[in-house]
Amino acid sequence: MARSRRRWGFHELDGRWADRLLVLADIDAGQTVLDVGAGRGVITQRLVRAGHRVIAVELHPGRADRLRHRFGPRVRVIEVDAADLRPPRRPFHVVANPPFATTMGLVRRLVAPGSRLQSATLIVPEHIARRWAEPTAPGADRWRRTFDVSFGPAVPARAFRPPPPRGARVLLIRRIR
């Protein structure tokens, strides 16, 4: 497990911050929502309680098995690397604290042409949030016609276990057309 944390940046989110993420996401019940890097299910649990169709994405086999056991048929658990995730072909939302090492690739996939993403509320490293919210974001000329990207609140180190080495922030992505 220590190897997984080091490689993928596993930083378990505090439940109070998971609650805040759901408030920031503001998604109607019954929607399909991905929790990428679901870990032990702190966000997944809140999404289930809110009445969403949840797809939990978790690479670590032990954590994926625990998610399957904990949530049973209420949650579809996909055991895949977040960097290799293929987004759903139907409209979907993302509420997640993804592995920090995969966030650039994940955001690229979410805003790629043809994506059915409706919204994403993601906790990402501060420097990645800044990069995507700037006017010179990667490929912005392609995706800014479809998505608005903005900053959410900074997330303090004490909101994670173990704390990340750098600051974190909520990144908000919303479909505008």
Side-chain angles (χ1 to χ4, degrees):
M1 185 138 114
R3 180 173 177 230
S4 178
R5 282 186 186 176
R6 192 169 46 251
R7 182 172 177 208
W8 297 114
F10 178 70
H11 304 284
E12 189 173 21
L13 187 64
D14 176 86
R16 292 169 294 207
W17 269 93
D19 292 335
R20 284 188 75 179
L21 272 185
L22 261 64
V23 169
L24 287 168
D26 191 28
I27 302 168
D28 292 334
Q31 301 296 307
T32 298
V33 184
L34 276 67
D35 179 3
V36 181
R40 294 185 179 102
V42 67
I43 295 172
T44 301
Q45 176 185 26
R46 283 144 177 91
L47 291 168
V48 168
R49 273 195 223 145
H52 299 296
R53 291 186 305 266
V54 182
I55 300 171
V57 179
E58 177 55 54
L59 176 63
H60 188 280
R63 289 192 290 264
D65 285 344
R66 283 190 286 273
L67 289 167
R68 286 184 191 99
H69 177 72
R70 179 176 178 188
F71 296 107
R74 296 177 296 169
V75 173
R76 181 173 171 211
V77 178
I78 299 174
E79 199 171 321
V80 67
D81 187 333
D84 297 328
L85 177 66
R86 288 190 200 165
R89 292 183 182 159
R90 65 178 187 252
F92 69 97
H93 301 266
V94 179
V95 179
N97 174 33
F100 283 7
T102 66
T103 54
M104 278 298 282
L106 175 64
V107 175
R108 264 192 218 107
R109 283 178 187 260
L110 294 176
V111 300
S115 172
R116 300 299 305 268
L117 177 71
Q118 303 302 299
S119 71
T121 306
L122 304 167
I123 295 179
V124 300
E126 177 79 32
H127 70 283
I128 290 177
R130 277 195 315 271
R131 180 160 184 200
W132 280 94
E134 290 175 351
T136 58
D141 56 327
R142 285 190 314 269
W143 56 262
R144 283 215 197 267
R145 291 181 291 249
T146 308
F147 297 102
D148 176 59
V149 178
S150 62
F151 291 122
V155 183
R158 69 182 177 278
F160 302 94
R161 193 180 65 218
R166 295 182 179 174
R169 178 173 287 277
V170 176
L171 183 68
L172 304 165
I173 303 171
R174 302 290 182 257
R175 179 174 287 276
I176 53 177
R177 60 181 276 243

